[in-house]
Amino acid sequence: VAAVCLLAFFLGLTTAIATVQPVRVKVLELIFSIEQEYTEIRLRDNTKVPPNVPPEWKGEYYLTTVPEGLSIAELNNSENIYTVEYKDEVHNKSLLFVEANMEYIIRVDTEGVSTDSTRIHGNLALITLKDNATTIAWSEGNKYFTLRYSGSKAEAIVMAEGVTRIR
């Protein structure tokens, strides 16, 4: 009976860790090691940082997917906004990712564009299409993001869905 109560407590704890925003940064895995005399229960840190995060990036989120051929052209870290721009001069492609705090205001060009909406990580997102570029704007917690990509709308959505918290 005590073992069942203990198991229910730890399963409840892992649920709380997965749903509380500030703790969601860490991905913890509950490990059970059952021996004849006892059962060992522990948590293991299973957090993975995307391998393409530049060491100088100070934001809390970053892209997990960047199209092949693009390389960093510019990276800026400010108090309320973090930006990284990728370019491929050969194929005339670019990708701009912006992470901003709620104190910062971003303007997205919506003159003469077609607009759409979708959900990124379950949050409502605005999509604009202009001059063969897709811009997606969405929020998560007290941060909001824009991603502008000079490729297909589908590719831009995949990249936006791939943005993950790294800190």
Side-chain angles (χ1 to χ4, degrees):
V1 174
V4 172
C5 290
L6 187 62
L7 178 62
F9 170 76
F10 280 109
L11 290 177
L13 177 64
T14 58
T15 302
I17 289 173
T19 57
V20 175
Q21 177 109 11
V23 183
R24 205 173 57 189
V25 175
K26 291 214 175 257
V27 178
L28 300 175
E29 183 178 13
L30 187 61
I31 306 293
F32 295 101
S33 179
I34 301 172
E35 306 295 331
Q36 188 172 354
E37 301 85 31
Y38 62 91
T39 298
E40 182 180 285
I41 303 169
R42 61 187 166 93
L43 289 173
R44 178 173 62 190
D45 186 354
N46 200 19
T47 306
K48 293 179 178 76
V49 174
N52 63 333
V53 177
E56 60 272 16
W57 181 256
K58 303 296 182 213
E60 292 180 30
Y61 293 79
Y62 203 76
L63 303 157
T64 58
T65 305
V66 174
E68 194 171 317
L70 292 175
S71 58
I72 295 176
E74 189 174 342
L75 188 145
N76 293 304
N77 293 302
S78 297
E79 184 177 337
N80 293 315
I81 187 168
Y82 310 95
T83 64
V84 63
E85 185 170 14
Y86 288 82
K87 289 191 176 187
D88 178 353
E89 301 296 338
V90 175
H91 297 100
N92 200 26
K93 294 264 185 185
S94 66
L95 166 64
L96 174 67
F97 173 65
V98 178
E99 172 188 332
N101 293 336
M102 59 187 194
E103 294 86 14
Y104 198 83
I105 297 172
I106 295 175
R107 293 192 170 101
V108 175
D109 180 10
T110 54
E111 184 178 350
V113 303
S114 64
T115 60
D116 197 359
S117 64
T118 189
R119 294 213 169 259
I120 304 296
H121 301 151
N123 301 303
L124 186 61
L126 170 70
I127 301 175
T128 64
L129 304 165
K130 183 177 183 175
D131 300 331
N132 297 321
T134 302
T135 301
I136 304 175
W138 75 101
S139 69
E140 206 160 313
N142 66 346
K143 300 282 186 174
Y144 66 99
F145 311 92
T146 61
L147 183 142
R148 187 182 74 227
Y149 178 57
S150 62
S152 77
K153 174 180 159 183
E155 289 175 298
I157 291 171
V158 167
M159 285 185 276
E161 282 288 350
V163 169
T164 189
R165 191 164 187 174
I166 59 169
R167 291 182 177 70

